[in-house]
Amino acid sequence: MRSRLGTATAATTLRAGLNQTSDEEFPRFMEGVEEVTQVDDRHNHWTTKIAGVKREFDTEIVDQLVDDRVTWRTVGGETKQRGSVRFEPLDDTRTRVELTMDVEPTGMAEKGADALGVIDRRVKGDLHRFKEYVENGGSGGGWHGRIRPEDPAAGH
């Protein structure tokens, strides 16, 4: 797996925007994400189309702490990835968002896109669009309770 890192500073507080974004809103600012369906508090089903290849896969939130972080991994489908997004308040009006992802491209199209830097550019572009989305009041809210890694029954 290859790691990607991106950061952005959003002119919003955690409560006002960043931490209120629902997973189902991801297609509004994530290029290549067609749909995200929340299955339960811990699981999502994703439909993506990247480099002309459509994929469906499931993710599991393995750690979530309100106003701090969300960590996930894929649990089904051909897509192999894991990642974490952290939120750090800088002051009363700005928040730093840091995204770390490990992605294993599958198939020739994805491997070619990765070799050309397309995946890295997408991650950075998604963060920029997320920043604009929350700064413009685009978040509709969602459940953001505590999920602990040691609690496999959470969300069922």
Side-chain angles (χ1 to χ4, degrees):
M1 281 194 187
R2 189 162 162 240
S3 294
R4 278 107 172 120
L5 176 66
T7 59
T9 299
T12 186
T13 64
L14 286 168
R15 296 281 174 180
L18 299 177
N19 228 4
Q20 298 302 313
T21 304
S22 160
D23 299 344
E24 292 167 341
E25 294 175 80
F26 290 172
R28 295 181 181 178
F29 54 84
M30 293 179 75
E31 185 179 355
V33 176
E34 293 186 342
E35 182 178 28
V36 178
T37 305
Q38 186 171 355
V39 176
D40 57 35
D41 291 340
R42 190 172 205 124
H43 298 92
N44 292 315
H45 181 77
W46 292 66
T47 304
T48 63
K49 189 171 186 180
I50 298 174
V53 178
K54 190 171 187 171
R55 300 259 190 242
E56 291 193 37
F57 58 93
D58 296 319
T59 57
E60 175 185 34
I61 297 172
V62 294
D63 187 21
Q64 178 172 280
L65 181 61
V66 176
D67 295 344
D68 186 69
R69 68 184 171 275
V70 177
T71 304
W72 73 92
R73 66 179 171 205
T74 54
V75 292
E78 296 177 27
T79 301
K80 304 291 183 220
Q81 65 170 260
R82 62 180 175 244
S84 184
V85 62
R86 296 191 67 95
F87 307 104
E88 177 188 355
L90 299 175
D91 56 34
D92 290 343
T93 62
R94 295 179 308 134
T95 301
R96 177 183 165 96
V97 181
E98 181 178 272
L99 173 67
T100 305
M101 289 180 62
D102 293 323
V103 178
E104 184 175 317
T106 56
M108 292 304 292
E110 290 95 336
K111 288 178 181 178
D114 186 39
L116 294 172
V118 172
I119 296 174
D120 289 330
R121 285 192 300 276
R122 277 225 172 142
V123 167
K124 290 178 179 146
D126 289 349
L127 273 170
H128 179 76
R129 284 184 295 277
F130 176 71
K131 172 190 178 312
E132 290 179 346
Y133 184 71
V134 297
E135 286 179 345
N136 292 313
S139 61
W143 180 83
H144 294 278
R146 178 68 169 122
I147 295 176
R148 292 177 173 81
E150 68 276 3
D151 186 8
H156 295 285

